[in-house]
Amino acid sequence: MEKNDKKIPWFKRYNKGPVDQPAREIPDGLWIKCESCGEIIYKKELSKNLWVCSICGHHFRIDGKDYIDILIDEGTFQEFDSNITSKDSLNFIDSKRYSERIKETVIKTGLNSAITTGIGTIDSIQVSCGFMEFRFIGGSMGSALGEKFTRAVERAIEMEIPLIVVSASGGARMQESILSLMQMAKTGTALTRLHNLGLPFVSILTHPTTAGVMASYASLGDVIISEPGALLGFAGPRVIQQTIGTELPEGFQSAEFVLEHGFIDKIVPRNRLKATVAGLLRYMYEPAVKTVT
Amino acid sequence: MKVQQFHLDFERPLVELEERIRELRIKASAGDGHAAREIIELEAKLNAMRSEVYGNLSRWHRVQVARHPKRPYSLDYINKLATDFIELHGDRGFRDDPAVVGGFATFFGHKVMFVGQQKGRNTKENIQRNFGMMHPEGYRKALRLFRLAEKFRLPIVIFIDTPGAFPGIGAEERGQAEAIARNIFEMARISVPIIITIIGEGASGGALGIGVGDTVLMMENAWYSVISPEGCAAILWRDRAEAPKAAEALKLTAPDLLELGMIDRIIPEPVGGAHTDPDKAAELLGIELRRELERFATFDESIIAKRLDKYRNMGVFDSGG
Ligand SMILES: [Zn+2]
């Protein structure tokens, strides 16, 4: 029996309004305060529990790369296209040059883009996979991300294997303007080819997945899974509030709200993600008998 | 009597000159020969000034022209260009979204399926049309019409003119993100030609949700971007008033998009913008539309692969080294 199988009413905990806590670094030190229930937790314990509060079930935000350990069989992940990075093709300047912003982010995060892609196995099933990084300019989708996602789709097609993507994104990369918008078209239309070949795409949503990413590939999974309490939607809660001028209902745009309205299949806690995906693939995918040389 | 008319800031010198010409006309018609001569002079000056002003529009100015309350909307072009239009309604799931209109139409003898975003001309109309901001059921209505077009082998003609997909409670409850994503996915594999024209505002996913196709045309003063200049300014400059700066940075005009290879051609507008001469604007749009319909008079399934390849290659990135 897994720890998180205690009868915790997830929906009660996460129906408290849009879960819109700021991106937060995990503070140093041995103990950490749960940002949802306030309980002081031993950090090692929390880490062992995949950064899920054992008291209230709150899912702390973790890095995209952390999902490789959570989902992919140990030692089987092979990264591709790690050299692809963003380019400031419009010479976009706001408070700083976009080219500078890219450079700083690459240094700060040690990542080249907002998605890590590759292949690996899930319960011995070979998959093409992608893991989005919210810490890379809010997981925003620019041309680099669009290209890497598309290549991951093409890898799935070429190897005749399923596609699994973990999303976390605030939306489009504004500094790439129309090029960024067209990544919605590029990624969405790439999935058409995967679909036509009968290959599965499981879309996993984490906090937050909104706007351009939610309005393209993240919403196009054959099956869509979300972590509990994730903020999911098209428009940001603040924009909606400003537009309509009234309070937003409780739990609006939470994963639980979106499940209730029929736009995702399941809410799955972090420690059950791998087993759930593996279980789904047994129905959606029959590995080819031929061996890859 | 002075007629109260809407004009944009940079149009003021033009409006003043027009006003003087109007006054002189009254004098001339009363037999003032001097006034008649001055009219000819001022009209030449007006034309020169108009070319000057409109030849040097900033990106932000163009955004304002695209939003001009007198600018022709989808149904205005339908009225001027279509010899037949049978409007169809509803998404068969929730309701009819009046922010998007569609139906069977005939342009220059070519039978097509038409879908276009529709703004209102006044407050009452705008309440009904929701300022051209579609709800999920609007995207699903459009998809239903795309599928009808496919069934009956009709090319699809789309006009884009929206300040964005509607951000509201109902829109989220009914899956705005899913509706747009679904349309992108499905439009990629519709087996009839899809000809798109951005006639006014092309704001973000709200535009792209009916914006995947084989040809993308853009009117000279239209804009198309991942976010509105105001929205971009609010996020990156933390002040909506910085919209002119954001418009420059976003490179959202037709010439910008042509240079970036994101559109196929620019449709010229009458000097002064489409609103100054809607008949001429429709004529110019008609020329390009007709050309596309003739180009696609015959088509086969290969159209889908070409469309997919086009989108596959969009984007600019670094590959290291
Ligand atoms: Zn807790």
Side-chain angles (χ1 to χ4, degrees):
Chain A
M1 187 85 177
E2 285 161 294
K3 245 184 194 158
N4 270 22
D5 270 1
K6 281 186 229 162
K7 295 275 172 273
I8 298 163
W10 298 98
F11 59 94
K12 271 201 177 137
R13 185 49 61 187
Y14 290 98
N15 255 353
K16 277 187 178 168
V19 189
D20 198 17
Q21 70 260 30
R24 115 190 322 250
E25 306 282 317
I26 306 297
D28 288 327
L30 290 177
W31 299 89
I32 195 167
K33 191 176 170 180
C34 173
E35 53 210 352
S36 179
C37 70
E39 192 75 17
I40 307 293
I41 317 161
Y42 190 45
K43 208 167 124 182
K44 265 195 187 151
E45 196 59 40
L46 187 61
S47 166
K48 231 197 286 171
N49 203 26
L50 309 177
W51 294 92
V52 175
C53 173
S54 54
I55 307 297
C56 74
H58 173 70
H59 283 52
F60 285 71
R61 186 188 289 154
I62 54 176
D63 293 344
K65 282 194 168 179
D66 293 335
Y67 286 94
I68 297 173
D69 295 336
I70 291 172
L71 284 167
I72 303 296
D73 299 338
E74 205 181 331
T76 66
F77 182 71
Q78 190 188 345
E79 188 175 356
F80 283 90
D81 304 320
S82 60
N83 56 327
I84 291 179
T85 190
S86 305
K87 187 173 178 169
D88 180 18
S89 54
L90 302 181
N91 289 313
F92 195 102
I93 308 170
D94 48 88
S95 58
K96 65 177 82 156
R97 287 188 166 275
Y98 178 42
S99 53
E100 281 302 310
R101 202 179 286 276
I102 297 166
K103 246 186 247 161
E104 285 171 18
T105 308
V106 166
I107 291 164
K108 197 180 80 188
T109 61
L111 300 161
N112 278 333
S113 76
I115 192 168
T116 302
T117 54
I119 57 170
T121 65
I122 296 178
D123 267 9
S124 302
I125 303 168
Q126 183 83 264
V127 300
S128 175
C129 46
F131 307 91
M132 292 189 71
E133 296 285 358
F134 192 81
R135 64 203 161 113
F136 197 99
I137 317 185
S140 52
M141 175 159 59
S143 299
L145 196 163
E147 179 67 18
K148 288 182 78 172
F149 180 93
T150 304
R151 289 189 189 188
V153 174
E154 288 166 349
R155 209 166 289 125
I157 290 171
E158 200 180 314
M159 298 177 72
E160 298 177 35
I161 54 176
L163 176 70
I164 314 291
V165 176
V166 178
S167 290
S169 172
R173 181 78 51 84
M174 270 174 291
Q175 293 88 345
E176 292 186 32
S177 193
I178 192 75
L179 293 167
S180 163
L181 183 67
M182 287 307 142
Q183 302 313 303
M184 291 171 67
K186 177 170 173 168
T187 56
T189 58
L191 289 171
T192 309
R193 284 190 157 135
L194 186 82
H195 177 86
N196 290 345
L197 292 168
L199 292 166
F201 170 33
V202 177
S203 176
I204 300 169
L205 314 179
T206 67
H207 176 74
T209 303
T210 59
V213 166
M214 193 61 183
S216 60
Y217 59 82
S219 284
L220 292 171
D222 295 305
V223 172
I224 306 173
I225 295 169
S226 175
E227 284 194 345
L231 174 79
L232 310 175
F234 177 67
R238 245 156 294 157
V239 172
I240 297 172
Q241 199 150 16
Q242 277 164 15
T243 306
I244 61 173
T246 58
E247 287 294 304
L248 300 174
E250 262 201 20
F252 184 62
Q253 293 183 313
S254 64
E256 293 72 16
F257 170 95
V258 177
L259 178 75
E260 190 186 317
H261 285 91
F263 291 97
I264 56 174
D265 289 283
K266 289 181 96 57
I267 293 175
V268 179
R270 203 168 276 163
N271 63 353
R272 305 280 296 277
L273 269 183
K274 181 172 181 173
T276 304
V277 173
L280 286 167
L281 290 182
R282 280 199 293 274
Y283 291 91
M284 298 160 75
Y285 180 66
E286 195 74 52
V289 192
K290 68 176 180 190
T291 45
V292 185
T293 48
Chain B
M1 211 184 78
K2 207 170 173 179
V3 185
Q4 201 59 42
Q5 263 197 329
F6 179 90
H7 57 262
L8 305 170
D9 278 351
F10 59 89
E11 290 182 310
R12 186 150 303 159
L14 298 170
V15 173
E16 281 165 10
L17 208 53
E18 279 168 344
E19 192 65 30
R20 256 186 78 198
I21 294 171
R22 210 170 296 132
E23 281 161 16
L24 287 168
R25 282 232 165 82
I26 297 165
K27 285 186 190 166
S29 62
D32 185 337
H34 184 73
R37 276 191 299 281
E38 205 182 331
I39 287 171
I40 296 168
E41 223 172 85
L42 287 186
E43 272 180 340
K45 195 179 165 192
L46 179 66
N47 281 335
M49 197 191 263
R50 201 174 262 152
S51 300
E52 163 85 26
V53 168
Y54 274 87
N56 292 296
L57 289 186
S58 70
R59 293 186 171 94
W60 177 240
H61 285 155
R62 278 198 203 272
V63 170
Q64 290 170 281
V65 175
R67 291 172 178 168
H68 199 289
K70 286 229 157 85
R71 192 172 174 85
Y73 299 147
S74 286
L75 285 176
D76 298 313
Y77 290 125
I78 283 286
N79 287 336
K80 287 179 205 292
L81 292 173
T83 47
D84 185 43
F85 178 48
I86 304 175
E87 191 175 352
L88 304 171
H89 293 275
D91 71 335
R92 300 294 187 272
F94 184 70
R95 64 155 196 156
D96 182 48
D97 186 345
V100 62
V101 293
F104 297 115
T106 306
F107 294 105
F108 312 105
H110 297 272
K111 289 178 278 187
V112 308
M113 176 62 78
F114 173 80
V115 170
Q117 285 154 335
Q118 181 64 32
K119 293 178 176 176
R121 196 55 76 189
N122 51 48
T123 307
K124 192 183 151 208
E125 270 182 34
N126 263 326
I127 288 166
Q128 187 214 353
R129 301 280 185 198
N130 200 30
F131 300 87
M133 293 188 281
M134 289 161 69
H135 278 79
E137 52 272 23
Y139 293 100
R140 291 173 189 135
K141 168 184 176 178
L143 181 57
R144 190 191 135 235
L145 298 184
F146 299 154
R147 286 187 169 137
L148 271 189
E150 186 173 48
K151 177 170 180 181
F152 301 110
R153 312 307 298 158
L154 297 169
I156 298 165
V157 171
I158 296 169
F159 290 169
I160 287 177
D161 190 10
T162 183
F166 188 65
I169 292 173
E172 294 292 325
E173 286 174 338
R174 299 193 290 280
Q176 190 71 290
E178 192 276 344
I180 292 169
R182 184 67 46 202
N183 276 19
I184 292 170
F185 180 86
E186 294 296 342
M187 290 180 88
R189 56 186 197 143
I190 290 274
S191 60
V192 297
I194 303 175
I195 303 157
I196 295 156
T197 308
I198 297 124
I199 61 167
E201 298 190 89
S204 196
L208 189 65
I210 57 165
V212 173
D214 304 297
T215 302
V216 181
L217 307 170
M218 198 163 162
M219 292 191 71
E220 194 182 341
N221 293 308
W223 67 269
Y224 192 13
S225 162
V226 73
I227 189 168
S228 72
E230 289 88 344
C232 181
I235 296 168
L236 294 183
W237 282 266
R238 304 193 180 280
D239 183 3
R240 291 176 78 83
E242 300 285 10
K245 254 189 220 166
E248 285 303 309
L250 285 167
K251 298 202 167 55
L252 41 58
T253 68
D256 290 328
L257 269 72
L258 187 68
E259 203 187 311
L260 289 166
M262 297 289 112
I263 59 167
D264 296 287
R265 281 196 308 283
I266 298 173
I267 302 173
E269 292 183 24
V271 177
H275 61 282
T276 60
D277 191 348
D279 286 332
K280 184 74 186 166
E283 191 191 316
L284 292 167
L285 169 59
I287 290 168
E288 291 294 332
L289 209 51
R290 183 175 200 166
R291 189 192 324 187
E292 287 301 315
L293 289 171
E294 266 150 29
R295 185 159 84 88
F296 285 118
T298 57
F299 57 89
D300 57 45
E301 296 273 327
S302 71
I303 198 170
I304 296 175
K306 273 188 210 144
R307 191 184 301 148
L308 288 172
D309 287 345
K310 179 177 87 163
Y311 286 99
R312 168 64 187 89
N313 294 318
M314 284 193 178
V316 183
F317 53 89
D318 262 335
S319 305

